Amino acid sequence: MYKALKQQKWAIFWTIVVLVLCNIKMPDSPGHGFFFEGFDKMTHMGFFFVLSVLLFYGKIRYQHTFAFRTLTIFKILLINAILGGGIELLQWKVFTYRSAEWWDFGCDMLGASMAVFSYVLLHKLNFNENES
């Protein structure tokens, strides 16, 4: 268990960064976005894309193979859903100066899904190269 967690150190660090950044009080800005409209949603996608990539990276380092496992994908999506949902619950009940939105959760899952798609695509391309 410790060895598996040790391989996930970057994902754990990034999770802490995401938790802090998603729950700190942001300066008031005119309009609907910090820099532009939709910036918040794009940030959520980016945070969870990076988190998923780091989770895949840690898993690959732990198992010493790029093996394609459906259970790994399910676990990574579940971790993202729990974290994304938890952040929205915290924003709703604890950090009330932040707004909890279903769209943020949707963008979290979209970012995670983009990372899963990339992982599957790269695995299939690598598998097809090794086969020829």
Side-chain angles (χ1 to χ4, degrees):
M1 178 76 169
Y2 172 74
K3 188 177 178 186
L5 280 177
K6 184 179 177 186
Q7 298 302 328
Q8 293 294 352
K9 64 184 173 209
W10 290 111
I12 293 168
F13 173 75
W14 186 249
T15 299
I16 294 167
V17 169
V18 168
L19 279 169
V20 169
L21 291 176
C22 285
N23 291 308
I24 62 173
K25 186 170 173 89
M26 298 298 289
D28 291 331
S29 62
H32 297 288
F34 188 65
F35 294 108
F36 54 86
E37 191 172 341
F39 176 77
D40 177 54
K41 307 304 179 244
M42 195 169 73
T43 302
H44 275 268
M45 278 193 313
F47 282 166
F48 283 79
F49 176 83
V50 171
L51 176 61
S52 298
V53 167
L54 291 172
L55 287 167
F56 277 120
Y57 175 73
K59 182 65 174 173
I60 289 166
R61 287 187 48 95
Y62 174 70
Q63 66 189 21
H64 302 291
T65 179
F66 290 95
F68 181 82
R69 296 187 177 159
T70 306
L71 183 60
T72 299
I73 291 172
F74 175 77
K75 287 178 184 178
I76 288 174
L77 288 174
L78 182 63
I79 289 168
N80 279 282
I82 291 169
L83 180 62
I87 287 171
E88 296 310 312
L89 287 174
L90 283 171
Q91 289 178 348
W92 178 44
K93 290 292 187 179
V94 178
F95 304 106
T96 55
Y97 48 82
R98 297 293 302 253
S99 63
E101 300 177 19
W102 282 108
W103 284 110
D104 287 348
F105 178 74
C107 288
D108 298 343
M109 296 311 296
L110 183 59
S113 298
M114 288 168 34
V116 167
F117 175 77
S118 299
Y119 172 74
V120 171
L121 181 67
L122 290 173
H123 179 271
K124 294 294 183 188
L125 290 174
N126 187 36
F127 180 74
N128 288 338
E129 279 181 15
N130 291 336
E131 197 173 74
S132 15

